[in-house]
Amino acid sequence: MRQPATRTAAPVQNSGPAHDRAGHPGLDRFNTAPAAEAEAALLECSGSRRWAGRLAAHRPYPDLDALLAAADEAGYDLSPADLAEALAAEVSPGLHHAAPHSAHLALRAAHAAYECRFGHVFVICLDGFEPAEQPDQVLAGIRARLGHDPDQERVVTAEEMRRLARGRIIELISGS
């Protein structure tokens, strides 16, 4: 079973809708993998052990859409401790190494301000944005979300984590 090589808070963009037909080779591999292997692959999608265990335990899934629906449901059921565990496994989105030094400094400062205010890394799903647009989206997202109160930001962060997990599951199953 394929596992993503790195975990960032900005997954590779998805090229289209979920593959919703049964018999998809990636879904078949996921459904038939040993439980520990399936759970390990899911932990690469979201760092919550409870979330990954729940999804692995409910296999087999008839199609990718059913798996994504189960992932969403499990994501909505995360406790604050589960969300904190998932966030602890995240890496803040960064810039391409060739970006200007000033851009790296601005992004580091924005991430530091966010982490100081909320106590965890900034996460954002960048599906639908071209790579050249992503740094601006990250900076704009941090700036906007720094104005949130902690409860409001917890809700937004949980939604971003669900979106990230969906994109990562699609990657995992499609093998892209």
Side-chain angles (χ1 to χ4, degrees):
M1 170 170 284
R2 182 187 160 280
Q3 291 184 1
T6 57
R7 278 196 64 198
T8 65
V12 174
Q13 287 185 254
N14 303 315
S15 57
H19 303 286
D20 58 0
R21 67 187 191 286
H24 186 279
L27 183 62
D28 292 343
R29 279 191 305 277
F30 174 76
N31 279 334
T32 59
E37 187 177 326
E39 193 168 331
L42 288 165
L43 281 169
E44 291 296 321
C45 300
S46 175
S48 166
R49 289 181 304 233
R50 187 172 140 231
W51 178 89
R54 178 174 168 177
L55 289 176
H58 286 93
R59 295 174 305 144
Y61 293 95
D63 54 44
L64 181 55
D65 288 338
L67 172 57
L68 293 173
D72 284 345
E73 183 180 331
Y76 286 116
D77 291 343
L78 290 180
S79 70
D82 295 328
L83 182 59
E85 179 184 40
L87 283 166
E90 293 295 322
V91 175
S92 297
L95 297 174
H96 187 273
H97 71 288
H101 181 67
S102 59
H104 284 280
L105 290 175
L107 189 58
R108 273 197 299 272
H111 278 297
Y114 180 91
E115 290 177 24
C116 181
R117 174 147 169 74
F118 297 111
H120 58 78
V121 298
F122 175 78
V123 293
I124 187 170
C125 182
L126 297 170
D127 285 355
F129 292 100
E130 296 296 323
E133 299 172 304
Q134 292 177 1
D136 290 337
Q137 292 301 316
V138 171
L139 281 171
I142 291 173
R143 288 182 185 128
R145 289 167 55 186
L146 278 169
H148 291 171
D149 64 54
D151 290 334
Q152 182 182 21
E153 183 56 21
R154 199 169 303 114
V155 170
V156 172
T157 297
E159 179 59 28
E160 291 298 316
M161 291 296 293
R162 280 188 293 280
R163 292 179 63 210
L164 287 168
R166 285 179 66 87
R168 291 169 180 162
I169 288 170
I170 291 168
E171 260 186 71
L172 173 73
I173 299 303
S174 69
S176 61

